[in-house]
Amino acid sequence: MMNLRVGPHHNMWVSDFNASSTFRPTKIRRKRTSESGYTLVALLAMMTILALFAMAAAPSMKQQSLREREIETIFRGEEVANAIRLYYNYQITQGRNGPNALPTSMDQLLEGVSVGTKKIQILRQSAAHDLLSESGEWRLVKPRSGQITEFTRSVMLFANNVRPPTNDPQLKQVELDMAPPIIITNDLQSSPSSSAGDDDSSGPFIGVATSNSKNSVLTYYGIDKHDAWIFTPLFR
């Protein structure tokens, strides 16, 4: 009798143990595999979304970077324009006048001017470099050139067909010689301009410009092309 009672209980316990050891680990493994699959899918989806956001933001970031370079380029160009004004005024005191009193190289502006026994700096070293061009060198704009004529036209159009005055008294006397007057008609066209003297490799210059011909993000006197921006002490 004792064996009959113990036997069934013993067999039942063994049967439960076998079922547990055979099927429960398989269910756990399947659950973990399923969870890992969901995690991988979610990770891939997140990476795809981030990549799409990065692609959408790239043009905006590139434009912002160009805008900051343009702001710095304008700032440096204005510095060069002021240095030309200071150099010209110094040369007037040395008995020179007209185009002969203008600088002929960027190095002359970097050297500064003499006041007594001292040299006065009129241009920072960094301002002598153009951020927009590949060479980093400013393009020199000569007086009476087609470049300065085109810039004069753009400035006048921006100012409602009015030629802004040059306030520096020394440059004002020779303004019309360095940038001859032009006539703007009702259809916004001007008289043909001469391109003589456009070679910017040497000689006196009244302004500087970049050689980058791309469209700009900002406008300078209403001009939206980099190489049409001319930084000169005239018209200010």
Side-chain angles (χ1 to χ4, degrees), residues 62-71 73-74 132 210 212-231:
K62 184 177 181 180
Q63 187 178 53
Q64 179 61 26
S65 175
L66 177 58
R67 183 177 183 276
E68 292 176 357
R69 286 167 57 207
E70 289 177 350
I71 292 174
T73 297
I74 292 173
L132 294 177
T210 179
N212 186 316
S213 60
K214 295 181 179 179
N215 292 333
S216 62
V217 176
L218 302 176
T219 60
Y220 184 71
Y221 287 101
I223 305 169
D224 59 1
K225 289 201 68 176
H226 291 146
D227 59 352
W229 294 355
I230 293 181
F231 306 101

Side-chain angles (χ1 to χ4, degrees), residues 74-92 101-114 120-128 138 168 171 205-208 231-234 236:
I74 292 173
F75 182 74
R76 294 185 182 190
E78 296 283 355
E79 285 190 275
V80 175
N82 189 54
I84 294 173
R85 180 185 67 81
L86 295 174
Y87 184 90
Y88 184 85
N89 278 271
Y90 169 75
Q91 293 297 322
I92 291 293
L102 292 171
T104 58
S105 70
M106 196 63 64
D107 288 338
Q108 290 178 330
L109 298 181
L110 291 172
E111 289 173 4
V113 297
S114 299
I120 303 299
Q121 184 183 28
I122 61 174
L123 183 66
R124 295 181 304 122
Q125 184 71 39
S126 60
W138 289 109
D168 183 271
L171 284 169
F205 61 97
I206 189 60
V208 295
F231 306 101
T232 173
L234 302 179
R236 66 181 67 209

Side-chain angles (χ1 to χ4, degrees), residues 166-188:
T166 298
N167 295 318
D168 183 271
Q170 301 294 345
L171 284 169
K172 187 176 182 64
Q173 296 179 20
V174 294
E175 174 194 332
L176 295 180
D177 182 51
M178 295 189 180
I182 62 173
I183 299 175
I184 299 182
T185 59
N186 292 333
D187 60 355
L188 301 184

Side-chain angles (χ1 to χ4, degrees), residues 13 26 31 57 74 86 98 107 110 113 120 129 131 137 139 150 175-176 195 199 203 208 211 213 222 224 235:
W13 183 81
T26 301
K31 184 177 181 181
I74 292 173
L86 295 174
D107 288 338
L110 291 172
V113 297
I120 303 299
H129 296 281
L131 283 177
E137 296 181 358
R139 180 164 51 90
E150 290 298 323
E175 174 194 332
L176 295 180
S195 60
D199 179 14
V208 295
S211 57
S213 60
D224 59 1
F235 318 126

Side-chain angles (χ1 to χ4, degrees), residues 34-48:
S34 178
E35 290 177 351
S36 299
Y38 288 137
T39 301
L40 180 60
V41 171
L43 180 60
L44 290 174
M46 183 179 296
M47 291 176 65
T48 302

